[in-house]
Amino acid sequence: MKNTILQGKKVSRIFRQGSMRNTVLDQVDISIYEGDFTVIMGSSGAGKSTLLYALSGMDPVSGGKVFYKDREITSLKEKQMADLRAKEFGFVFQQTNLVSNLTLFENVAVAGYVGRKGSTEEIRDRAGRLLRQMKIDKAQNRFPSQVSGGEAQRAAIARAMVGKPGLLFADEPTGALNRSNTTEVLNLLTDLNRSGQSILMVTHDMRAAARGNRILYLEDGKVLDELRLPPYSEIREQNRESQVSGWLSGLRW
């Protein structure tokens, strides 16, 4: 039995504007397990990204509780939550959000200094290793404007990993990439998961979703269904995507 690393209990997110009330998350119960590559899918407006932001503490919840490693985090003060995110969570978004006047190496290292897991020398060594792992070490002294979108996204993954996060959050990480760069980024995420990294990813891309071993389907702010898969294997990729496609078709995706 896998350990639960993140859990949401009756998580709600309600937006109000005047007398209007929009319930985006409706008392969601969700458990994320250690070592899993968990994917959240759903139609546009289903609340996928909102759920990811609520679970990671980036956005407040309107109701319910979120627990990380059995510690309730919804009651943390802003500074405490920021400290937890810096030390325990990694984030990758559709847009890389790299600092334009810092090199790729500096972007990664600075994120490590914030989490402060190790000495300055250890963080710099870790940043260098990650850039090599992401196969962009030759571009480490370039600025974000001087590299391709795929290279920038790989740098963003290195930045997310430099603090040794317990959980990596990814929100549409391949949404702005072409097919070849998408494959490279998915391969990197798959390799990280194989090494033991827990990942929670939001995507609308079936190819990306097929990399997960557990896919949750969100509809009208609730988890409607889930699909469990064996660990990803390139050899069985086509059958895997067909299985995901059939499951989504049954949900009228």
Side-chain angles (χ1 to χ4, degrees), residues 6-168:
L6 185 72
Q7 186 175 36
K9 294 184 177 181
K10 298 192 180 304
V11 175
S12 296
R13 188 73 170 100
I14 301 169
F15 294 91
R16 293 181 174 87
Q17 186 173 7
S19 60
M20 300 293 290
R21 173 188 170 105
N22 181 22
T23 301
V24 180
L25 299 177
D26 189 6
Q27 298 191 38
V28 175
D29 288 319
I30 185 171
S31 294
I32 307 301
Y33 302 109
E34 200 167 39
D36 272 6
F37 191 152
T38 307
V39 178
I40 299 175
M41 295 195 78
S43 59
S44 179
K48 303 184 295 296
S49 293
T50 302
L51 179 59
L52 185 142
Y53 296 151
L55 293 175
S56 65
M58 286 194 292
D59 278 351
V61 299
S62 304
K65 296 180 179 180
V66 178
F67 297 84
Y68 176 70
K69 294 183 176 180
D70 296 325
R71 175 192 184 189
E72 186 191 347
I73 65 174
T74 34
S75 60
L76 295 179
K77 295 180 180 178
E78 186 175 343
K79 187 178 183 304
Q80 292 175 309
M81 191 66 242
D83 188 57
L84 176 72
R85 284 197 301 268
K87 292 182 177 178
E88 292 292 331
F89 298 160
F91 296 93
V92 183
F93 303 98
Q94 181 172 336
Q95 304 301 323
T96 63
N97 298 318
L98 296 173
V99 180
S100 62
N101 62 344
L102 296 181
T103 64
L104 299 190
F105 179 86
E106 290 167 339
N107 267 280
V108 176
V110 165
Y113 301 149
V114 173
R116 271 296 171 195
K117 286 187 178 178
S119 66
T120 298
E121 184 177 350
E122 287 171 334
I123 291 168
R124 289 180 66 85
D125 286 345
R126 196 182 310 141
R129 288 198 305 272
L130 282 165
L131 289 166
R132 287 193 295 275
Q133 183 181 351
M134 302 296 148
K135 300 178 181 177
I136 51 172
D137 50 304
K138 292 181 180 178
Q140 66 177 355
N141 294 320
R142 296 178 188 168
F143 295 98
S145 62
Q146 297 173 321
V147 300
S148 70
E151 289 172 324
Q153 189 62 297
R154 281 180 272 163
I157 295 173
R159 179 185 58 188
M161 291 298 299
V162 73
K164 297 181 178 179
L167 182 58
L168 178 64

